[in-house]
Amino acid sequence: MTKADIIEKVYDKLGGYSKREAADLVEIVFETLKETLSRQEKVKISGFGNFVVREKKARMGRNPQTKQPIEITARRVLTFKPSQVLKHTLNG
Amino acid sequence: MTKSDLIEAVAQKSNLTKDKAASVVNQIFEQMVDAMKKGDRIEIRNFGNFTVRKYPAYTGRNPKTGDAVAVGPKKMPFFKVGLELKNRVDGKK
């Protein structure tokens, strides 16, 4: 499933929107999620899961090809924690 | 941000009523759940991909009592963040 499929479904199932409008709406939803997460704010979607930005400290790693030790810099990463409901749905 | 905050933000940006924005947001997440139920992979470019990973059965342990517990095979949703969002979250660009 791609974004185009989601747009198609919004267009089909909701009605009242042109394809262009459906595309704009889906875009607004994902753009809003991205903006929120870019501010390091967590997003909680009940029945789906939580998107959380986590701070990672710098640590030592090594280049697996050259075996040279290198520092992995401190960074922020996005993690997704699926909701219990979603986990149960997939295993129902 | 909760789902209702998201709905409110979408309503504002799109000039839709909150009810209509709610039906759009709910529809999107329902579609994604349905796709994962079918084992489908979801690709949202510049956001990320959702895949369903299958795990085999294993023998786990109750950490409190140390008793062996049989854990059946299971499916778990997995999210891999897309490049654009990954960079934005990390403050690059």
Side-chain angles (χ1 to χ4, degrees):
Chain A
M1 163 178 268
T2 63
K3 197 154 67 181
D5 298 318
I6 296 177
I7 291 166
E8 191 68 31
K9 284 276 167 50
V10 167
Y11 170 77
D12 273 357
K13 297 221 168 183
L14 295 184
Y17 304 112
S18 66
K19 284 207 177 170
R20 180 61 204 267
E21 286 167 333
D24 287 346
L25 287 169
V26 171
E27 207 55 59
I28 286 173
V29 170
F30 285 107
E31 192 49 49
T32 306
L33 293 174
K34 286 193 276 186
E35 281 165 12
T36 307
L37 295 167
S38 301
R39 293 194 301 264
Q40 285 104 56
E41 192 185 324
K42 82 157 81 140
V43 176
K44 305 200 287 189
I45 307 294
S46 68
F48 191 79
N50 299 345
F51 294 91
V52 185
V53 177
R54 304 188 62 182
E55 300 273 349
K56 306 282 266 186
K57 285 189 200 141
R59 63 192 166 92
M60 290 309 287
R62 65 171 67 230
N63 179 331
Q65 229 156 53
T66 65
K67 305 216 170 21
Q68 286 297 314
I70 39 164
E71 182 182 62
I72 297 169
T73 52
R75 62 193 63 200
R76 282 190 290 265
V77 297
L78 176 60
T79 57
F80 172 68
K81 185 164 187 279
S83 83
Q84 288 295 330
V85 178
L86 177 57
K87 286 196 259 181
H88 282 141
T89 309
L90 293 187
N91 292 288
Chain B
M1 169 178 266
T2 62
K3 193 164 80 175
S4 28
D5 299 327
L6 173 63
I7 288 166
E8 212 150 313
V10 171
Q12 250 172 32
K13 289 187 193 174
S14 62
N15 287 316
L16 288 181
T17 63
K18 262 180 76 176
D19 277 1
K20 288 199 164 169
S23 66
V24 170
V25 169
N26 286 324
Q27 182 66 29
I28 291 173
F29 287 108
E30 274 169 38
Q31 289 309 327
M32 295 206 287
V33 171
D34 279 357
M36 284 193 266
K37 244 197 266 184
K38 284 186 273 177
D40 252 16
R41 160 195 179 87
I42 307 168
E43 286 185 44
I44 312 292
R45 212 170 297 165
N46 295 328
F47 185 79
N49 299 338
F50 295 88
T51 48
V52 179
R53 291 189 171 179
K54 290 179 185 152
Y55 295 90
Y58 61 95
T59 307
R61 281 193 184 277
N62 179 332
K64 224 177 219 163
T65 62
D67 293 348
V69 185
V71 181
K74 61 185 166 191
K75 294 182 202 159
M76 289 283 279
F78 178 81
F79 174 68
K80 181 165 195 284
V81 62
L83 192 60
E84 184 204 309
L85 183 54
K86 184 180 173 181
N87 285 334
R88 277 172 73 172
V89 163
D90 200 19
K92 296 178 189 158
K93 187 178 95 168

